[in-house]
Amino acid sequence: MSADGRKKRVCNHIDLSWNKGRLALSEQMQSKYFAYKGSLIGQPLNSAGFAELVRNVRTAMPDLEVVVDECICEGHKVVTSSTVMGTLATPLFGYSVTDKILAIAAMSVWTLNPAGDIEEIYTLVDLEGVHQQLGIETPLSTLLSPA
């Protein structure tokens, strides 16, 4: 699979899973060894765990939209920079309901096998940005003064 093909596959996976909730289709793009790791979860998730995570987030944020801002491919690795947008209709990850539209930065490193199946996703979420948008003071925000 070409670099453009790998980038297209990753962007399609994001659209099918996060934006459309078509988890059975997105799962077909994952290898049988699939693992999802992220800064918001304590342990790697398999395909079923990833699907549950996506369902929980989509339920809490019914207006969820994930926009891929940049997608870079090098070998069998793809890196995406995305903006996750939506409002929290129900509590999620310890955050309370809000009518504010959140715009959350996320970076993911994707590993694809030679056949083009997604083997691993590792996602980092900008939690400090979330805290700022929700008005939550953290040790870091009190340490740094606004520019």
Side-chain angles (χ1 to χ4, degrees):
M1 180 179 283
S2 69
D4 284 341
R6 286 188 290 278
K7 293 191 313 187
K8 184 176 180 179
R9 188 166 187 86
V10 163
C11 289
N12 195 22
H13 188 275
I14 292 168
D15 190 50
L16 285 172
S17 58
W18 293 104
N19 290 333
K20 295 179 179 167
R22 306 285 306 270
L23 298 168
L25 290 175
S26 65
E27 185 176 2
Q28 293 177 15
M29 299 178 185
Q30 300 166 3
S31 85
K32 64 181 179 179
Y33 306 108
F34 176 82
Y36 178 84
K37 303 170 184 172
S39 59
L40 292 176
I41 55 174
Q43 62 187 15
L45 303 174
N46 60 15
S47 288
F50 174 74
E52 183 179 348
L53 171 69
V54 171
R55 277 192 295 276
N56 288 339
V57 172
R58 287 179 49 78
T59 297
M61 299 179 84
D63 58 347
L64 176 75
E65 182 179 2
V66 178
V67 176
V68 177
D69 303 314
E70 192 164 6
C71 186
I72 301 168
C73 180
E74 180 72 33
H76 291 285
K77 298 276 187 185
V78 176
V79 177
T80 55
S81 171
S82 303
T83 304
V84 179
M85 295 174 282
T87 54
L88 279 174
T90 61
L92 181 68
F93 301 123
Y95 296 106
S96 299
V97 172
T98 181
D99 59 354
K100 292 180 182 180
I101 298 173
L102 302 175
I104 305 161
M107 295 286 289
S108 298
V109 178
W110 305 67
T111 304
L112 284 71
N113 67 20
D117 296 327
I118 299 165
E119 294 223 337
E120 181 180 80
I121 307 169
Y122 186 82
T123 301
L124 296 171
V125 177
D126 176 16
L127 294 177
E128 189 61 30
V130 173
H131 295 154
Q132 287 176 353
Q133 291 176 66
L134 294 174
I136 299 170
E137 291 216 8
T138 65
L140 184 58
S141 64
T142 57
L143 178 67
L144 302 174
S145 60

